[in-house]
Amino acid sequence: AQTVTQSQPEMSVQEAETVTLSCTYDTSENNYYLFWYKQPPSRQMILVIRQEAYKQQNATENRFSVNFQKAAKSFSLKISDSQLGDTAMYFCAFMKHDAGNMLTFGGGTRLMVKP
Amino acid sequence: NAGVTQTPKFRILKIGQSMTLQCAQDMNHNYMYWYRQDPGMGLKLIYYSVGAGITDKGEVPNGYNVSRSTTEDFPLRLELAAPSQTSVYFCASSYAQGAKNIQYFGAGTRLSVL
C-alpha cells in the first residue's frame, strides 16, 4: 500500500513571499502520478498541479511549481508571490498508474498567508 | 456549468438511522468517487465507479453501499448510521485515466451521527 506524508501541519507566509510545502511518499511502483490539491475554507477541493513520475522535468503552473525527487520519493510544492487567496489546506496525493484512478491523500498542510 | 452537485450540505442523524447522500455530475464523466474526510485528516476513498453498473470498494467501504445506474448519478447509502461515520463526505468525478485524471469535487456533505 502507498502512504503519503505531509510533515508540516501548519505554515504561514507573508503576502508576496515564497513558501514551500513538503510531501514524501512511499511506494514500490515505478509508474505513478502525483498531485497537489487545494482546499479553501469553502471546502471544495481544487487541483493545483500534477506530475507524471516518468517525467524528469518539474511541473509548473503560473506561481506554483514542484520539486520532484523520484529517488528520494519527495514532491514539494513551491508557491511564489503568495496571495491572500492562497490561504487554504493543501493536500498531496498519489495515484498508481493502473489503480483505477484511486488517489491516496496525505494529511494536509494548513497554509495561512498574512497581509 | 454545475459540475459535481452534492445534496444535502448538512445532515444530523441518530444512531441506527439510514440515509442516502446524493451526487450528480453533468460533465459526462465515466469515473465517480466517494471520499470521507475526518477532522484534520486527508480524504479516504470509500467507493468508486468506472462506469454505469460498475462499482468497487476503496480504502474504507465498511458501513456504506453505492450504486451507479446512470452515468450522471452516484448515490452513497448509509444503512445503520454510527458515530464513527461522522465526517465530511465528498463526491468527485473524472473523465480519463492517469495524469489526465483531473478529479472534480463537489462541495461536500457534513454529516453528524449522534
Side-chain angles (χ1 to χ4, degrees):
Chain A
Q2 282 65 231
T3 58
V4 179
T5 302
Q6 294 178 247
S7 59
Q8 305 151 315
E10 294 186 0
M11 294 191 73
S12 64
V13 63
Q14 291 297 130
E15 196 175 7
E17 292 188 347
T18 296
V19 64
T20 299
L21 309 183
S22 301
C23 172
T24 58
Y25 56 94
D26 186 23
T27 185
S28 59
E29 302 290 326
N30 191 46
N31 291 329
Y32 51 87
Y33 309 96
L34 295 163
F35 304 82
W36 278 98
Y37 276 86
K38 170 185 177 181
Q39 187 179 40
S42 67
R43 288 196 325 224
Q44 193 140 6
M45 299 280 284
I46 304 164
L47 178 68
V48 175
I49 198 165
R50 59 188 168 180
Q51 174 84 39
E52 291 128 297
Y54 67 85
K55 289 187 176 179
Q56 292 186 344
Q57 187 173 6
N58 290 324
T60 62
E61 288 286 343
N62 301 315
R63 298 184 294 109
F64 299 88
S65 61
V66 299
N67 183 4
F68 173 48
Q69 302 287 332
K70 190 173 184 179
K73 297 180 182 176
S74 171
F75 183 59
S76 60
L77 174 69
K78 186 171 82 170
I79 305 174
S80 304
D81 185 26
S82 297
Q83 301 175 359
L84 296 178
D86 295 333
T87 293
M89 284 288 290
Y90 287 82
F91 293 95
C92 178
F94 172 99
M95 185 176 70
K96 286 197 298 183
H97 174 65
D98 57 353
N101 295 344
M102 289 193 291
L103 287 169
T104 299
F105 285 86
T109 296
R110 184 178 303 278
L111 176 67
M112 173 73 71
V113 179
K114 299 179 178 179
Chain B
N1 190 0
V4 178
T5 303
Q6 290 184 237
T7 56
K9 294 191 186 311
F10 305 95
R11 186 71 186 269
I12 298 174
L13 283 182
K14 294 182 178 179
I15 295 172
Q17 285 186 321
S18 62
M19 77 163 293
T20 299
L21 281 65
Q22 301 291 345
C23 175
Q25 53 92 7
D26 62 359
M27 297 174 282
N28 202 31
H29 286 170
N30 292 330
Y31 300 85
M32 295 188 75
Y33 318 84
W34 273 106
Y35 295 90
R36 61 176 285 172
Q37 184 180 28
D38 297 329
M41 306 288 285
L43 281 69
K44 292 188 177 181
L45 185 66
I46 305 171
Y47 271 95
Y48 68 101
S49 169
V50 300
I54 306 170
T55 63
D56 209 345
K57 296 178 180 179
E59 187 181 358
V60 290
N62 291 343
Y64 307 94
N65 280 300
V66 294
S67 59
R68 184 97 182 269
S69 57
T70 67
T71 299
E72 295 78 18
D73 300 301
F74 190 41
L76 177 72
R77 179 84 177 163
L78 283 72
E79 290 295 349
L80 291 170
S84 62
Q85 293 178 305
T86 293
S87 190
V88 180
Y89 291 84
F90 290 95
C91 179
S93 71
S94 67
Y95 176 70
Q97 287 187 326
K100 294 182 174 64
N101 169 30
I102 299 174
Q103 294 192 17
Y104 294 85
F105 286 79
T109 295
R110 185 179 295 277
L111 176 67
S112 295
V113 182
L114 305 175

